[in-house]
Amino acid sequence: MSENERYFGEYGGMFVPETLMGSLTALEETYDKYKDEKDFLEQKEYYLREYAGRETPLYFAKRMTELLGGGKVYLKREDLNHTGSHKLNNVIGQMLIAQRMGKTRIIAETGAGQHGVATATIAALFDLPCTVYMGEQDTQRQALNVFRMELLGAKVVSVHTGTKTLKDATSEAIRDWAANFEDTYYVIGSVVGPSPYPRMVRDFQSVIGIETKRQIAEKEARMPDYLIACVGGGSNAMGLFYPFIGEENVKMIGVEAGGKGTDTPHHAAAIGKGSPGVLHGMKSYFLQDEFGQILPVHSISAGLDYPGIGPEHASLFESGRVRFESVTDDEAVEAFEFLSKTEGIMPALESAHAVAYACKMIPKTRKNDIIVINVSGRGDKDVYSVAKHMGVSIND
């Protein structure tokens, strides 16, 4: 693959130590060899269908539509995947690549724990030892997912450096990989990192958009007017958006974590408030100071408190193809409660960011507009965080 093919416009690349270049090149060659190969595709489809439970429904949210008073709202139900989020789509694909590379150990990073749980799940299925790196702050607010990973046989390493969140967990996973690349496969959980990870994760997550495109055509006999998805690193959003990029009339909106407000230092809006830089092997948009030092970030959602965004998202932003907005912690919690009470669907706090922006936007849309919101995960894991934010005490 040429150097230019490792970029999305000017973003992407392979900014890694020399020791990892051989491993990345081998990964790239293996992925390109097998990604369209019949046996690989059949095996991937088998696990997605028989194990993960795909396809997921595209659900017409009738009460939400009536209450908001604008266009028709559909929810892509990734929360109904096995393990409770979209993360398994990618992990299945990467594990099959790891198998073909002969790797005997699996590592991953995780924020909210959903990617860690998905990785631990498939590692157990494939009988491979698994280590998951997780920031200390995230292990505390996502203790349920830590226990789930351990039940699945994974070793969870709490990272105590830096902000003790996803950025630092990713850094530790990269250090482990650099030291043990000969037998270790690093399952990156989002469309971030050095090439070929952003492209590979996007391809594995595109099942979301491929299904949505077919489902909405069956239900409405046309394409949607809007697609809305939350964005941290951006894998669920890219999975939904990518199959629609050529559909010029479909507007796509990524929703970042506004935290306590983008007019404060306490947010994770990399596109809204960031600038181009380099971190974790890629060139993209990051929250950084004038010297390129990465700034601390905040979100009530552990899966969105990452200081950057996937490089393809950065390119789509600069081209104007995707619009990026943000919502605050308070708005996300309100949306969490709203969807729970309106449709009986408890979204992950990450997904609640997309729901929150939709709730603000939809009343301004036309009655015949069609809006698809990606419910990227379920909210069981977030009940304690939501209760704490609402000032409600839950007894153990």
Side-chain angles (χ1 to χ4, degrees):
M1 174 171 284
S2 70
E3 185 65 20
N4 286 340
E5 290 176 295
R6 293 171 177 151
Y7 283 80
F8 309 94
E10 65 176 281
Y11 299 102
M14 280 182 173
F15 295 87
V16 296
E18 190 64 31
T19 53
L20 282 177
M21 284 302 294
S23 187
L24 277 172
T25 301
L27 172 59
E28 187 175 70
E29 290 173 351
T30 304
Y31 178 62
D32 286 334
K33 177 180 178 181
Y34 289 107
K35 66 184 178 70
D36 298 317
E37 191 256 341
K38 184 174 180 288
D39 289 344
F40 175 79
L41 292 174
E42 287 180 351
Q43 196 175 8
K44 177 168 69 75
E45 291 304 315
Y46 169 80
Y47 284 111
L48 287 173
R49 183 182 66 252
E50 302 294 333
Y51 190 74
R54 300 206 72 91
E55 63 182 40
T56 59
L58 183 66
Y59 167 71
F60 172 53
K62 183 174 183 289
R63 290 199 65 221
M64 185 176 177
T65 298
E66 291 171 350
L67 285 169
L68 294 178
K72 296 180 72 172
V73 181
Y74 284 89
L75 307 177
K76 183 57 173 164
R77 299 290 309 277
E78 291 300 296
D79 57 308
L80 296 179
N81 257 351
H82 178 42
T83 73
S85 81
H86 70 294
K87 293 295 187 180
L88 206 65
N89 305 328
N90 167 52
V91 175
I92 286 170
Q94 286 204 55
M95 284 289 198
L96 293 174
I97 293 295
Q99 199 176 55
R100 282 157 173 78
M101 294 182 75
K103 302 298 184 180
T104 56
R105 175 176 176 260
I106 300 299
I107 63 171
E109 86 296 329
T110 197
Q114 291 298 81
H115 175 60
V117 169
T119 304
T121 297
I122 304 300
L125 180 67
F126 285 16
D127 193 24
L128 290 170
C130 176
T131 299
V132 179
Y133 290 91
M134 191 173 189
E136 181 187 25
Q137 181 177 317
D138 294 338
T139 64
Q140 293 169 359
R141 57 181 169 173
Q142 295 294 340
L144 173 62
N145 274 342
V146 172
F147 186 58
R148 289 173 73 195
M149 286 183 270
E150 291 173 342
L151 280 174
L152 289 159
K155 176 184 178 183
V156 180
V157 177
S158 179
V159 177
H160 303 275
T161 56
T163 58
K164 305 175 186 179
T165 56
L166 181 56
K167 171 181 76 72
D168 311 288
T170 303
S171 297
E172 284 302 314
I174 290 172
R175 290 188 187 98
D176 182 328
W177 188 33
N180 301 290
F181 62 87
E182 289 185 359
D183 69 344
T184 297
Y185 185 95
Y186 178 18
V187 182
I188 289 184
S190 193
V191 285
V192 299
S195 181
Y197 280 106
R199 173 171 62 97
M200 184 167 60
V201 177
R202 175 202 70 197
D203 291 350
F204 291 143
Q205 290 293 1
S206 288
V207 65
I208 302 170
I210 291 167
E211 287 180 4
T212 300
K213 199 170 188 179
R214 176 170 40 76
Q215 290 168 328
I216 200 67
E218 291 170 354
K219 293 174 183 291
E220 296 286 347
R222 69 180 182 89
M223 292 295 99
D225 297 282
Y226 298 93
L227 302 175
I228 304 174
C230 67
V231 178
S235 65
N236 91 90
M238 189 57 68
L240 177 63
F241 294 166
Y242 187 67
F244 288 92
I245 286 175
E247 302 288 344
E248 295 180 0
N249 293 325
V250 179
K251 302 174 184 70
M252 298 184 282
I253 302 166
V255 185
E256 297 189 294
K260 297 179 181 178
T262 54
D263 56 344
T264 77
H266 309 294
H267 62 81
I271 289 287
K273 292 291 183 175
S275 57
V278 174
L279 178 70
H280 294 151
M282 62 178 174
K283 181 181 180 183
S284 189
Y285 269 67
F286 299 97
L287 291 164
Q288 56 193 338
D289 65 19
E290 59 186 307
F291 304 108
Q293 298 300 303
I294 300 300
L295 296 171
V297 295
H298 162 80
S299 172
I300 190 172
S301 163
L304 298 184
D305 63 352
Y306 182 69
I309 194 168
E312 192 166 8
H313 281 297
S315 178
L316 290 169
F317 163 69
E318 290 203 347
S319 73
R321 184 64 187 92
V322 177
R323 190 169 98 231
F324 290 84
E325 304 287 350
S326 66
V327 301
T328 65
D329 290 349
D330 287 344
E331 290 170 325
V333 171
E334 288 173 10
F336 182 100
E337 188 176 13
F338 172 79
L339 193 64
S340 298
K341 291 181 175 178
T342 302
E343 295 289 349
I345 296 170
M346 193 176 295
L349 272 174
E350 292 80 12
S351 315
H353 284 69
V355 175
Y357 183 75
C359 287
K360 293 194 291 185
M361 184 199 85
I362 289 170
K364 303 172 187 176
T365 60
R366 301 168 300 179
K367 292 285 188 182
N368 63 341
D369 282 344
I370 297 170
I371 301 99
V372 174
I373 305 167
N374 197 18
V375 182
S376 56
R378 69 179 186 230
D380 313 46
K381 67 185 177 60
D382 296 313
V383 169
Y384 277 89
S385 293
V386 170
K388 182 179 179 182
H389 188 85
M390 295 172 69
V392 176
S393 177
I394 300 179
N395 294 323
D396 293 328

